[in-house]
Amino acid sequence: MGAALATPTRFLEANIGVVDEVLSPLSPTELITFSSIGTCFAITSYNHSRSTLRSARCGIKWCYKHGIRTSIQYFGIQLAKRLPWTRTKIDEDAKQRTDDMIFQMDTEWSDLLDPSTRLPENRHHCLPANKTSTSELLTLLKKWSKLESSRWNQGQASGAIYHGDSKLLEFLGQVYGLFTVANPLHPDLFPYVRKMEGEIVAMMISLFHGKVKNSQCHDTGGTDKKDAKEDSTTPECCGTLTSGGTESILLACKAYRDRAKDLYGITCPEIVAPTTIHAAFEKAAHYFGMKLIHVEIDEKTSVVNVDDVRRAINRNTVLIAGSAPNFPHGVIDPIEQLAKLAHENNIGFHSDCCLG
């Protein structure tokens, strides 16, 4: 470091006369002005160069995360979107889609929505000045609920509603009402909520032939004695209740990411899954800094090929995922073969029952 600084110093000492001769025509005010401008220019250039290098580094990391093919497609699309003709077409298409959505809401939903809700006085964008009684509010909500259920209750919905039995729905409503304020975060106040969660998880583990610590369930999902003997070597299983499918997928991906980092030091985790996998895997990859590797499906069967999944595995793969059934086609992936492949490579496996 000392030698590096000494060289410029000797250079200035040897050429100090030349510097004085060049700057001698300038007044002190001009020297200060030019020095200030030069300093500002140097700082601006440095910051710009640093920002450019940082952007280039982020771009390289993004390309590595998503792959060369995806990166080329992405940057090509972004470049095309900046062209004036393309930008105009995109804006026109967006406006057309917005108009179509508004038209659909005004026509197709007209028989579903209460006409009175369209009146300006019944549209609330802030807290109303006058309160509404509980009886009035309950009457209104019952009316809306009846109107909403008029379609799916007649079998006009594909997905979204999985059980429309009125007695079951009434029972569930009573159960939810009993535990409205219960919070599993405080088992000291709500011990029975934790009890119910633990027993539900244990029941599901039993159905899938797992082993629960201190379990008194001898008939594990209807297995015979031979299966029960094999289950004795099965590791203990655990689980948790979630708010729905998306949260379940998020927690599973996070668990496999953390496991791989703790056991194998993997810092760039990857998920290998068919293109038909649920969109929540995209969300999980985005949230938890993971790379989602999509494997194409067979055009005729809509099922992923196990050999293609095998070729997509690398040292950063922490999870293989499949669907039973998948979201777009309702087709079941080869779950057993995918699970065996994951087991052979000591990689986590997640089977998603997608009923979207």
Side-chain angles (χ1 to χ4, degrees), residues 5 31 43 49 139 176 191 196 204 216 238 258 295 297 315:
L5 291 175
L31 285 174
I43 293 174
S49 301
T139 300
Y176 295 153
M196 289 186 286
M204 297 305 299
Q216 298 178 358
C238 60
D258 295 347
V295 179
I297 61 172
R315 62 181 182 178

Side-chain angles (χ1 to χ4, degrees), residues 202-212 219-224 227-228 230-232 234-235 237:
M203 293 175 187
M204 297 305 299
I205 291 175
S206 176
L207 288 175
F208 285 92
H209 314 301
K211 186 170 69 172
V212 182
D219 183 13
T220 55
T223 57
D224 55 22
D227 292 330
E230 292 176 350
D231 287 343
S232 62
T234 303
C237 303

Side-chain angles (χ1 to χ4, degrees), residues 228-301:
K229 187 178 296 184
E230 292 176 350
D231 287 343
S232 62
T233 61
T234 303
E236 293 180 359
C237 303
C238 60
T240 185
L241 287 179
T242 67
S243 61
T246 294
E247 186 186 3
S248 296
I249 292 173
L250 293 178
L251 292 181
C253 292
K254 182 182 182 300
Y256 287 119
R257 184 203 66 173
D258 295 347
R259 170 184 178 271
K261 183 177 181 180
D262 182 57
L263 295 180
Y264 312 115
I266 296 178
T267 57
C268 298
E270 298 183 2
I271 305 170
V272 176
T275 55
T276 51
I277 203 69
H278 193 279
F281 282 91
E282 295 275 4
K283 188 180 294 185
H286 175 72
Y287 282 169
F288 305 132
M290 307 174 75
K291 180 181 179 180
L292 179 57
I293 306 297
H294 278 130
V295 179
E296 297 293 335
I297 61 172
D298 186 274
E299 294 183 358
K300 295 182 178 180
T301 63

Side-chain angles (χ1 to χ4, degrees), residues 23-226:
L23 299 178
S24 58
L26 301 177
S27 65
T29 303
E30 292 175 331
L31 285 174
I32 294 173
T33 302
F34 290 146
S35 297
S36 300
I37 295 174
T39 302
C40 293
F41 178 77
I43 293 174
T44 303
S45 300
Y46 170 76
N47 291 334
H48 180 73
S49 301
R50 187 178 180 182
S51 176
T52 302
L53 291 175
R54 188 186 296 112
S55 300
R57 182 182 179 185
C58 292
I60 293 174
K61 291 177 65 176
W62 193 94
C63 292
Y64 172 77
K65 178 180 179 180
H66 295 86
I68 299 297
R69 180 180 177 181
T70 303
S71 301
I72 294 175
Q73 291 177 346
Y74 174 79
F75 288 113
I77 292 174
Q78 296 303 314
L79 180 61
K81 287 167 62 177
R82 295 178 179 272
L83 299 176
W85 181 85
T86 309
R87 185 72 262 168
T88 301
K89 293 294 293 183
I90 292 176
D91 293 340
E92 291 177 353
D93 183 68
K95 184 178 183 305
Q96 181 62 44
R97 291 179 181 273
T98 303
D99 294 340
D100 292 343
M101 186 182 301
I102 294 175
F103 178 78
Q104 180 186 23
M105 294 174 64
D106 288 338
T107 55
E108 295 185 9
W109 294 359
S110 59
D111 59 335
L112 178 63
L113 295 177
D114 182 0
S116 63
T117 60
R118 300 176 179 272
L119 300 177
E121 59 269 22
N122 290 331
R123 293 189 177 186
H124 306 288
H125 300 285
C126 58
L127 290 174
N130 301 318
K131 68 177 183 179
T132 304
S133 66
T134 55
S135 59
E136 291 177 337
L137 186 58
L138 192 58
T139 300
L140 180 63
L141 294 177
K142 286 182 177 180
K143 181 179 181 181
W144 289 356
S145 176
K146 185 177 180 179
L147 288 170
E148 283 188 344
S149 61
S150 62
R151 282 191 172 181
W152 63 260
N153 201 26
Q154 298 175 8
Q156 297 179 354
S158 175
I161 305 297
Y162 306 121
H163 201 296
D165 182 75
S166 58
K167 293 183 178 180
L168 175 61
L169 296 178
E170 182 180 353
F171 171 72
L172 292 176
Q174 294 176 358
V175 173
Y176 295 153
L178 294 173
F179 293 90
T180 301
V181 299
N183 189 341
L185 189 62
H186 302 284
D188 53 330
L189 295 177
F190 309 102
Y192 291 104
V193 172
R194 185 168 72 168
K195 169 183 168 62
M196 289 186 286
E197 179 183 21
E199 292 181 353
I200 291 172
V201 170
M203 293 175 187
M204 297 305 299
I205 291 175
S206 176
L207 288 175
F208 285 92
H209 314 301
K211 186 170 69 172
V212 182
K213 185 177 181 180
N214 301 326
S215 174
Q216 298 178 358
C217 181
H218 302 289
D219 183 13
T220 55
T223 57
D224 55 22
K225 294 182 179 179
K226 180 181 178 181

